[in-house]
Amino acid sequence: HRGSVFSLGLLCTAFGRLQQQGRAIGAEALCAEVAAMCRGLVDRELRRNNAGQTAGQRLFAAHGLSGARGEAEAGFRLVIDGALPLYRQRLAADGDEQRALLDSLLWLMAHNDDTNVASRGGLHGLRWLRRRAALLLAQGGSAGEAGLTRLRRFDADCIARNLSPGGSADLLIVTWLLAQLGAQE
């Protein structure tokens, strides 16, 4: 859960800074503040001072995957530009928070260069996961019993391949947290 602790810690810090400065607090403002606080993080920690001791450092050195650091430095753009709007859309459509979260997770899995997946399954595993998640979304995501059945099969296939989309799950937590601020934007 290091990625979620890292991301949530940054968001809480940004929240405190914005509140202390009397600035508006909303999803965009929080993520912009996180991006400002993290400016240069990938360069400092992954490009210049990369000892290659963690899986994330090795994946950056080998493939340029920046993981949680890159997402934070980018101001959680995957969340702001994709997962959060989808979550809000799905929630508004039928009020089913669990299905909105499932579809948002699928969207993140289809678009995120998840370093946990790449660490376990290499780039081949990451590509497989991204393609499969995109296909499930194109088939309607979690809608209906057929959608849930496809998701259960996908889960079983991920387990069989030892692929765990932990980075995408971390971004889903960020998505949910930012959605709770909707009334303040």
Side-chain angles (χ1 to χ4, degrees):
H1 303 292
R2 290 182 306 236
S4 60
V5 170
F6 173 73
S7 297
L8 294 174
L10 287 169
L11 286 167
C12 288
T13 302
F15 188 98
R17 287 178 78 170
L18 293 177
Q19 186 174 45
Q20 190 272 331
Q21 295 170 359
R23 294 169 47 201
I25 298 173
E28 286 279 352
L30 280 174
C31 290
E33 188 67 21
V34 167
M37 291 185 322
C38 293
R39 192 170 294 120
L41 182 65
V42 169
D43 187 54
R44 280 189 313 275
E45 291 193 11
L46 295 177
R47 196 165 279 115
R48 286 188 284 156
N49 299 318
N50 188 344
Q53 295 177 346
T54 68
Q57 289 173 324
R58 289 188 297 274
L59 286 166
F60 181 81
H63 306 293
L65 303 180
S66 60
R69 291 174 184 94
E71 289 302 317
E73 186 172 357
F76 301 111
R77 292 319 313 169
L78 284 176
V79 171
I80 292 294
D81 295 337
L84 183 58
L86 178 66
Y87 173 81
R88 288 176 172 159
Q89 174 194 6
R90 295 289 206 268
L91 191 59
D94 66 10
D96 189 332
E97 184 177 44
Q98 291 303 307
R99 290 197 188 228
L101 288 168
L102 285 170
D103 288 345
S104 299
L105 179 60
L106 276 177
W107 190 92
L108 288 164
M109 291 166 70
H111 294 89
N112 183 26
D113 287 331
D114 193 315
T115 55
N116 195 47
V117 172
S119 177
R120 290 170 174 237
L123 292 184
H124 176 75
L126 178 60
R127 284 190 296 273
W128 174 86
L129 183 100
R130 290 182 65 171
R131 280 193 310 268
R132 188 79 181 273
L135 174 63
L136 289 169
L137 276 175
Q139 293 172 329
S142 66
E145 198 53 44
L148 292 177
T149 298
R150 285 189 293 269
L151 288 179
R152 285 185 201 101
R153 191 174 315 119
F154 180 43
D155 182 49
D157 290 346
C158 288
I159 291 169
R161 293 170 181 257
N162 194 34
L163 299 178
S164 175
S168 296
D170 295 341
L171 291 174
L172 182 65
I173 294 166
V174 169
T175 301
W176 180 86
L177 177 68
L178 294 176
Q180 306 314 301
L181 301 173
Q184 296 181 29
E185 292 189 87

